[in-house]
Amino acid sequence: MSTIDLIVLGMIKEKEQSAYELQKNVEYRNISKWVKVSTPSIYKKVIQLEEKGYIKGNLSREGNMPEKSIYHITEKGDKYFLELMKKISSQMVNVCLDFNAVIINIGMLSENESKEIIGDIETEIKKYKN
């Protein structure tokens, strides 16, 4: 399981987009400041997630521009996204990466799922404190 998977899936879950748009969003959100991620690695991750059936691309063309794939999350991808959110939030939080990946994606969950994830984080913080 990968925090990069969580970041990419969360961005696609939030808004269907191309690999190029994902890469631009990584730059815009300054994600590269807290995780080593390059443009080629975003494209590679998109291919891997699509091969595993977590996302699906549909070809789209705007005007005279070349065709591009616009990705959306699949039902299998939604399940994997929730699995990653639960797994990462229920282990010792790495504040620089894992915690941020969970927090930026918390809004993609239902209210009950969000409460469960926040509860897991609180439990881990208490363990760390002790």
Side-chain angles (χ1 to χ4, degrees):
M1 289 194 214
S2 165
T3 304
I4 303 295
D5 289 5
L6 180 59
I7 292 166
V8 171
L9 286 171
M11 287 193 293
I12 291 173
K13 186 173 175 69
E14 181 180 26
K15 178 184 177 258
E16 294 181 359
Q17 53 195 297
S18 68
Y20 175 78
E21 291 168 316
L22 283 166
Q23 186 265 328
K24 287 298 179 191
N25 281 325
V26 165
E27 287 177 16
Y28 176 75
R29 294 177 180 186
N30 291 315
I31 292 171
S32 59
K33 290 193 180 211
W34 42 275
V35 63
K36 186 176 179 178
V37 62
S38 64
T39 300
S41 67
I42 293 292
Y43 287 95
K44 184 177 176 183
K45 183 55 66 180
V46 166
I47 291 167
Q48 290 171 349
L49 291 171
E50 186 172 33
E51 286 173 350
K52 292 177 181 178
Y54 298 137
I55 61 174
K56 179 155 180 39
N58 294 318
L59 289 177
S60 173
R61 181 186 299 249
E62 295 176 13
N64 292 331
M65 299 296 289
E67 282 187 332
K68 63 181 176 181
S69 288
I70 304 296
Y71 296 93
H72 66 274
I73 195 163
T74 63
E75 187 176 329
K76 183 178 178 182
D78 268 330
K79 289 177 184 174
Y80 181 54
F81 175 79
L82 181 57
E83 179 184 333
L84 287 172
M85 289 289 284
K86 288 181 177 183
K87 181 173 174 60
I88 291 172
S89 67
S90 66
Q91 57 190 338
M92 183 54 70
V93 175
N94 176 341
V95 175
C96 293
L97 175 57
D98 296 344
F99 177 75
N100 289 326
V102 169
I103 294 304
I104 65 170
N105 287 307
I106 202 96
M108 301 300 130
L109 302 176
S110 70
E111 186 176 340
N112 288 337
E113 292 167 338
S114 294
K115 286 179 181 177
E116 181 183 346
I117 297 301
I118 291 168
D120 291 342
I121 292 169
E122 288 174 340
T123 299
E124 289 306 309
I125 289 171
K126 287 176 186 173
K127 284 183 197 175
Y128 183 73
K129 185 178 176 184
N130 292 334

